[in-house]
Amino acid sequence: MSAAHAEADARFLQGLWESVRSGQEDILLSPYLPASFAFLTHVLLCAPFLALDALGSVSPRVRSWRIAAGSGPPPSLRRWFDCFLRVLYQYLTAVLPATALFHTLRSPALPQLAPSCWQLFVEVFACLLLFDTFFFIWHVSMHRVPWLYRNTHRQHHQHHYPFALAAQDSSSLELLSLLLLAMSSTWVVGCHPLSEVSFHLVNSWLAVEDHCGYELPWALHRQLPCLGGAPYHQAHHILHSVNYAPYFIHWDVLFGTYRGPVERSHPVCIKQDCSSSSKAAKRQ
């Protein structure tokens, strides 16, 4: 990069950082900001997929993008609303108090200088790789240890065909653990606050896209083969014993737990569903 380009990058991010900091330090340092920002970001990033689910009832093209096209219609508005209430409850009762306490103990400060564009990119990418590694280890543990699965991860797996908002429909313990992993990643890397915010935004978007239930023509995993995307993660929700990494595929390939998209022309037969279906068949 030439000196002129480096100077232009520095001016751009410095101007952005100063406009963010200007008169907003009390808000930026509020202990309630991290949880509020995470929740609002998650809901806003899910909004386009709510629109897609609504359009799916009238548009054959949108329906053709659904991964589980043979599993029935997109999730109803009632299902979205129930999921929203569960996620909101977990944030209010667990995530908000925990992050406020951590933020107070951490006593963060806002630096005067912004990072360069290159520094921001490196820090965000490093955080994604580190979080992906931490989550892979934790995710395998939650599946392999029965107590952890029952008390931590089972709530998330109620969604056999997930949708965008379900990315954070988890137990309090799991949500807090994911938050801890994300914050630990930024702490290990030593991120600038601007890089930290950028990482959390990218992290939230990837989580939403992974759970959206759509194989979209413009999805990130179509552009970057190192990402698994929604088909990869939906295979995890169907089979449970594959595709543990949240975003990248290298750990699953290395440990032999990688599995490509699962093609099904009918819904997965879950124990409860199977027993209900067999009883209904007998009655008929």
Side-chain angles (χ1 to χ4, degrees):
M1 181 184 293
S2 67
H5 284 148
E7 187 178 348
D9 287 345
R11 282 201 306 268
F12 168 71
L13 283 182
Q14 188 62 37
L16 176 64
W17 179 236
E18 288 175 359
S19 66
V20 169
R21 289 180 63 244
S22 177
Q24 308 295 329
E25 294 210 13
D26 289 341
I27 296 175
L28 293 174
L29 294 175
S30 168
Y32 305 109
L33 180 64
S36 304
F37 177 79
F39 178 76
L40 291 174
T41 299
H42 179 62
V43 171
L44 289 174
L45 291 176
C46 288
F49 296 104
L50 173 59
L52 280 179
D53 284 348
L55 286 171
S57 59
V58 295
S59 171
R61 177 176 289 276
V62 171
R63 285 198 299 273
S64 72
W65 291 338
R66 279 183 57 76
I67 300 168
S71 65
S76 64
L77 186 60
R78 177 57 187 269
R79 193 176 169 200
W80 271 82
F81 183 68
D82 289 345
C83 184
F84 172 82
L85 290 180
R86 286 194 300 272
V87 175
L88 177 62
Y89 176 79
Q90 301 289 21
Y91 265 86
L92 291 176
T93 59
V95 177
L96 185 64
T99 53
L101 176 61
F102 178 83
H103 200 71
T104 303
L105 296 175
R106 184 185 177 192
S107 301
L110 299 177
Q112 295 291 326
L113 296 178
S116 66
C117 289
W118 176 246
Q119 179 187 346
L120 184 141
F121 170 78
V122 169
E123 289 179 352
V124 170
F125 186 63
C127 284
L128 287 171
L129 286 175
L130 199 56
F131 177 81
D132 195 76
T133 302
F134 288 157
F135 185 88
F136 177 81
I137 297 169
W138 176 231
H139 199 183
V140 170
S141 301
M142 287 192 291
H143 274 270
R144 301 291 172 84
V145 179
W147 185 91
L148 278 177
Y149 183 82
R150 287 194 308 271
N151 295 281
T152 305
H153 198 45
R154 182 166 59 183
Q155 179 176 329
H156 184 64
H157 270 281
Q158 67 180 301
H159 301 287
H160 306 293
Y161 289 102
F163 59 104
L165 196 61
Q168 293 199 17
D169 190 6
S170 306
S171 67
S172 301
L173 182 57
E174 182 168 2
L175 276 180
L176 288 173
S177 69
L178 296 183
L179 178 69
L180 178 62
L181 294 181
M183 291 191 300
S184 298
S185 301
T186 61
W187 179 76
V188 170
V189 172
C191 285
H192 187 281
L194 200 56
S195 302
E196 188 172 345
V197 170
S198 301
F199 161 66
H200 288 306
L201 281 172
V202 174
N203 195 27
S204 295
W205 170 253
L206 289 174
V208 166
E209 191 180 66
D210 269 5
H211 290 81
C212 71
Y214 288 92
E215 173 70 287
L216 298 171
W218 56 84
L220 276 177
H221 68 274
R222 287 178 173 268
Q223 321 304 324
L224 301 171
C226 59
L227 297 175
Y232 166 88
H233 193 69
Q234 185 144 308
H236 171 76
H237 275 259
I238 292 171
L239 301 175
H240 287 213
S241 58
V242 298
N243 299 354
Y244 293 108
Y247 311 132
F248 300 103
I249 64 173
H250 58 277
W251 289 121
D252 283 300
V253 171
L254 183 62
F255 285 96
T257 53
Y258 175 77
R259 172 68 184 268
V262 176
E263 299 293 339
R264 290 183 182 272
S265 58
H266 53 79
V268 175
C269 190
I270 312 302
K271 273 188 180 178
Q272 284 183 329
D273 299 336
C274 291
S275 58
S276 302
S277 300
S278 60
K279 287 178 183 176
K282 286 178 183 177
R283 284 197 299 268
Q284 291 174 356

